[in-house]
Amino acid sequence: MTTAPNTLAPSEATLNWCRKLIAHPSVSMTPNMALIEEVKAHLEPLGYDCLVVRDDSNTKANLYATIGPKVDGGVILSGHSDVVPTEGQNWASDPYTIDIRDDRLYGRGSCDMKGFLACLLAKAETFKNANLRVPIHLAFTYDEEVGCLGVPSLVEAINNLPHKPAMCIVGEPTEMKVITQHKGKYSARAHFTGRSGHSSLPGEGVNAVEFASQFVVFLRQLGRTCRDEGPHDDDFVPNHTTFHSGVINGGTQLNIIPQNCFVDFEFRNLPNHDRMELKGQIFDYLDNTLIPEMCETYDDVGVEIEVVSDMPGLATGDDEEVTKLVMALTGANTTGKVSFGTEAGVFSAMGEIPTVVCGPGNIEQAHKPDEFIELDQLGRCEVFLDKLIGALVK
């Protein structure tokens, strides 16, 4: 392997772990146990204490692996094991077999975020051999891509352990820049149940599609209000809380009053924008305006909301120990904010663990066909981990 001048070549160990991890087609909502078991089989013989937190189906799990002294403090290094699907994408190579060309490593999850996990596993023995004064915890989660569904059970398990970590670094792709704030996300499905009938007699039924459409317009108005009235934070793009209706599905054919309609919607809030207030506006409109109008003639109609994800935003201060540490290790003199969500908000909100986001790769490459990570980014991540060890030894 050759790299361009002025780039940092990753180790063969990192490339080998990229190969192994990417070979697991651990698409969200599908089993990830084969990947978790392979990682656990590598870490346990090195002396890591491994905690496996399974889901109810027993087909998916988080892994929490600890090395070092059994004391409070230390650092969680966390990443998700799941990836987005490749169906319908035109790839130049097999997405589950790494392909290295032009100083890039191609493969599904190479950027988001198995490249980071590979760096951790390549350094696992180095972590073990270091004379650590506080522990290092490696966290591998499931189903992040569909709403951070796996990490809450992991954080709950961490909260019940005898020793509490001092900080967390989530290695989402930031080009090794230090991210201290990101937006939250609330996503849900609204099921509108109306009353069917012949379309020539619209007053004899309740048109679920029409009421769902009113709801979509209401969400659009909320988004415009946030855009125009704020709050605003120009460090985010866009600089305000956003609302979005992504899928609407209802009706059977034109001459039948539609009895059912589904709307998938979300909002992505600035971390300082009250999520309870935003949710309250939605449910107040449904309960006090839309549903009463639907029920004027019939009482067996209405709206049910199924929450898909409820991810808190992240707002870690620049004066936090984790921020100062990661800035020192990366050489950064500023921190950043991003509009995409991560599991960092869950570690911070549920676990009260100060957390930042810092990892290799560029988020613009995530989820696309021919997803890749620059080899230099993997090399820089390895250097970062070596510096982290230096900061944690006795």
Side-chain angles (χ1 to χ4, degrees):
M1 180 188 69
T2 60
T3 57
N6 302 318
T7 61
L8 291 170
S11 67
E12 285 299 322
T14 289
L15 296 180
N16 285 336
W17 272 110
C18 283
R19 183 175 294 107
K20 293 176 183 179
L21 295 175
I22 289 171
H24 289 280
S26 51
V27 175
S28 304
M29 306 302 290
T30 66
N32 76 333
M33 288 308 304
L35 184 152
I36 293 297
E37 290 296 340
E38 181 170 6
V39 171
K40 182 170 174 279
H42 174 65
L43 296 176
E44 276 194 327
L46 294 175
Y48 284 75
D49 291 328
C50 291
L51 171 65
V52 177
V53 182
R54 297 173 181 264
D55 77 333
D56 292 339
S57 72
N58 212 34
T59 64
K60 293 179 283 190
N62 305 298
L63 176 65
Y64 189 67
T66 299
I67 198 72
K70 293 177 172 57
V71 296
D72 286 341
V75 181
I76 301 174
L77 299 169
S78 181
H80 60 82
S81 65
D82 61 309
V83 297
V84 297
T86 61
E87 282 76 14
Q89 295 185 340
N90 185 22
W91 283 68
S93 57
D94 181 351
Y96 298 111
T97 301
I98 68 168
D99 185 16
I100 299 175
R101 60 183 190 274
D102 301 325
D103 294 316
R104 297 171 174 176
L105 187 150
Y106 291 83
R108 172 56 85 220
S110 55
C111 173
D112 185 20
M113 56 182 300
K114 291 180 175 179
F116 177 70
L117 301 185
C119 291
L120 298 184
L121 293 168
K123 292 294 181 182
E125 189 165 1
T126 306
F127 295 153
K128 180 247 183 183
N129 292 331
N131 188 20
L132 297 171
R133 55 181 172 80
V134 291
I136 290 177
H137 314 276
L138 307 183
F140 299 74
T141 63
Y142 68 87
D143 285 359
E144 185 272 349
E145 296 288 6
V146 286
C148 293
L149 302 185
V151 69
S153 63
L154 175 64
V155 175
E156 183 179 359
I158 293 171
N159 288 342
N160 292 322
L161 293 175
H163 301 295
K164 184 175 177 64
M167 62 185 69
C168 177
I169 303 168
V170 174
E172 288 276 5
T174 68
E175 295 185 314
M176 299 308 298
K177 298 173 183 175
V178 186
I179 302 300
T180 56
Q181 294 193 37
H182 67 61
K183 290 184 177 181
K185 177 184 175 184
Y186 175 85
S187 62
R189 166 168 287 188
H191 178 194
F192 290 77
T193 302
R195 175 69 74 93
S196 188
H198 197 284
S199 63
S200 65
L201 300 169
E204 300 298 315
V206 177
N207 191 317
V209 167
E210 290 182 355
F211 282 102
S213 299
Q214 286 182 234
F215 180 61
V216 170
V217 171
F218 171 75
L219 294 175
R220 185 168 184 264
Q221 290 171 339
L222 284 182
R224 288 196 164 198
T225 299
C226 291
R227 181 196 66 187
D228 296 339
E229 300 179 10
H232 297 111
D233 186 336
D234 290 339
D235 289 333
F236 286 95
V237 180
N239 69 349
H240 54 85
T241 294
T242 59
F243 284 79
H244 168 70
S245 299
V247 178
I248 185 167
N249 183 20
T252 54
Q253 66 182 48
L254 181 59
N255 62 352
I256 300 175
I257 298 170
Q259 181 165 320
N260 292 287
C261 189
F262 298 86
V263 178
D264 294 350
F265 68 97
E266 69 173 30
F267 66 74
R268 294 176 184 260
N269 62 289
L270 294 176
N272 67 340
H273 201 165
D274 189 336
R275 296 164 60 74
M276 294 302 296
E277 177 189 343
L278 293 167
K279 287 185 275 189
Q281 289 179 323
I282 294 171
F283 284 96
D284 178 69
Y285 173 73
L286 290 173
D287 293 339
N288 296 314
T289 300
L290 202 59
I291 293 176
E293 186 181 344
M294 292 180 70
C295 295
E296 286 179 353
T297 305
Y298 304 101
D299 59 8
D300 59 348
V301 298
V303 185
E304 293 184 359
I305 300 294
E306 176 191 354
V307 178
V308 177
S309 66
D310 195 353
M311 298 159 44
L314 177 71
T316 302
D318 284 358
D319 58 344
E320 290 280 1
E321 181 184 358
V322 64
T323 307
K324 293 187 286 187
L325 173 63
V326 178
M327 289 181 71
L329 298 181
T330 59
N333 53 23
T334 60
T335 59
K337 305 175 185 181
V338 293
S339 292
F340 63 85
T342 79
E343 293 172 327
V346 180
F347 282 105
S348 178
M350 278 189 63
E352 297 183 350
I353 303 168
T355 303
V356 299
V357 185
C358 181
N362 187 318
I363 194 65
E364 292 184 4
Q365 306 308 326
H367 301 186
K368 293 180 179 180
D370 293 332
E371 177 184 350
F372 68 85
I373 189 168
E374 300 278 355
L375 296 179
D376 177 71
Q377 286 288 307
L378 294 172
R380 291 181 184 278
C381 184
E382 289 187 67
V383 170
F384 170 80
L385 295 174
D386 287 335
K387 290 181 178 180
L388 176 64
I389 294 170
L392 300 181
V393 296
K394 296 178 181 177

